[in-house]
Amino acid sequence: DVKVTQSSRYLVKRTGEKVFLECVQDMDHENMFWYRQDPGLGLRLIYFSYDVKMKEKGDIPEGYSVSREKKERFSLILESASTNQTSMYLCASNTRGAGEQYFGPGTRLTVT
Amino acid sequence: GQNIDQPTEMTATEGAIVQINCTYQTSGFNGLFWYQQHAGEAPTFLSYNVLDGLEEKGRFSSFLSRSKGYSYLLLKELQMKDSASYLCAPGNGNTGFQKLVFGTGTRLLVSP
């Protein structure tokens, strides 16, 4: 079975803190994605990566950056957390050319 | 631009059949996904349509009309565990890579 894991299920941070969200997949997938999910807005793509050290902006990249140093790991970084970044963050992965994305369990981040 | 429209909420009775509709407008369309998401959990893959027509998989079926920008998910013999949100997600992109754009989801409530 494909397994996508995220470093934390729940996280509480203060405004201005630097926040790291980690995602690891064990299926040798080329593509990895970071989404955030908010009520009434659905899942929105923040960043994605199709190879090691490659990254592309999604629909809402402002305030975020990413890092992919190894194929299995994709990190989302909030350089200076703000309250409007309180959300559920979901990581996903899939193989090159294949559609189905496999999701991690999500991290519910609260910024106070 | 990209636009996805699906009903916000639907209710149905155990054992019944329900159809969840989705209309979309997206550039570079190359397939449509349906995901199921239980409250507090990650989305899980249900179906993928590339060609027009009906794809059947057990109690769930999905239909696509590319020319009309329309899809539906059909759930038969409803069970209480089918209470969840159902996300319509058209894909777009070049060969070898596919981005998904998610609708806000349809929350299905199944009652006894």
Side-chain angles (χ1 to χ4, degrees), chain A residues 15-34:
Chain A
T15 302
E17 278 192 83
K18 190 168 186 175
V19 182
F20 292 87
L21 302 182
E22 304 283 340
C23 175
V24 177
Q25 49 92 7
D26 67 357
M27 285 302 291
D28 203 36
H29 283 168
E30 290 82 10
N31 304 327
M32 296 188 75
F33 307 82
W34 274 108

Side-chain angles (χ1 to χ4, degrees), chain A residues 9 31 33 35 37 40-43 45 48 50 59 90 96-101 103-105, chain B residues 2 33 35 37 40-45 48 87 95-105:
Chain A
R9 288 302 303 271
N31 304 327
F33 307 82
Y35 296 89
Q37 186 173 29
L41 296 177
L43 277 155
L45 182 63
F48 61 96
Y50 52 88
D59 300 317
L90 289 156
R96 195 183 310 283
E100 179 188 349
Q101 293 184 16
F103 283 84
Chain B
Q2 305 187 84
F33 294 82
Y35 280 81
Q37 186 177 26
E41 297 182 12
T44 55
F45 170 77
Y48 178 45
L87 312 179
T95 302
F97 193 81
Q98 186 179 49
K99 278 175 55 178
L100 300 186
V101 180
F102 285 85
T104 53

Side-chain angles (χ1 to χ4, degrees), chain A residues 25 28-33 47-56 66-75 93-96, chain B residues 96-97:
Chain A
Q25 49 92 7
D28 203 36
H29 283 168
E30 290 82 10
N31 304 327
M32 296 188 75
F33 307 82
Y47 266 96
F48 61 96
S49 169
Y50 52 88
D51 204 346
V52 176
K53 297 192 184 294
M54 305 304 290
K55 59 185 179 184
E56 294 284 341
V66 289
S67 172
R68 192 161 181 207
E69 296 297 317
K70 294 184 177 181
K71 191 176 185 179
E72 67 271 19
R73 188 180 298 269
F74 192 35
S75 302
S93 71
N94 68 1
T95 59
R96 195 183 310 283
Chain B
F97 193 81

